[in-house]
Amino acid sequence: MKRINISTAVLLIYLIVMAIFGWPGNKLDPDYIQYGVIIGASVIVIIVLRIVQIKRLKAREKWKQDK
């Protein structure tokens, strides 16, 4: 479970850094809606990835116990 936490934390830190670099506030015509949608979609993908990793880990542990 520790690897899952580390990979999730790394992805969230990466998302925060990219969100800071991509901040549309200093452009002539900022598009905050597109910015918010991209950040939201990225968070959803990170959450889905975490869920898939947890399910795979549990299935692998169950498979090892059945052997």
Side-chain angles (χ1 to χ4, degrees):
M1 191 69 128
K2 186 177 180 182
R3 281 179 149 178
I4 296 170
N5 293 337
I6 291 172
S7 65
T8 302
V10 168
L11 287 173
L12 287 173
I13 291 169
Y14 176 76
L15 177 63
I16 291 169
V17 170
M18 289 294 109
I20 292 170
F21 283 137
W23 179 250
N26 48 354
K27 295 182 182 173
L28 294 176
D29 188 22
D31 190 8
Y32 294 108
I33 294 173
Q34 182 181 5
Y35 177 77
V37 168
I38 291 171
I39 298 299
S42 299
V43 169
I44 289 171
V45 167
I46 291 171
I47 291 170
V48 168
L49 178 64
R50 181 174 173 84
I51 291 170
V52 169
Q53 285 178 329
I54 290 172
K55 285 186 178 185
R56 285 185 64 206
L57 180 65
K58 287 181 181 178
R60 189 177 299 137
E61 288 174 359
K62 183 180 177 184
W63 181 69
K64 284 182 180 179
Q65 287 176 356
D66 290 344
K67 257 187 158 178

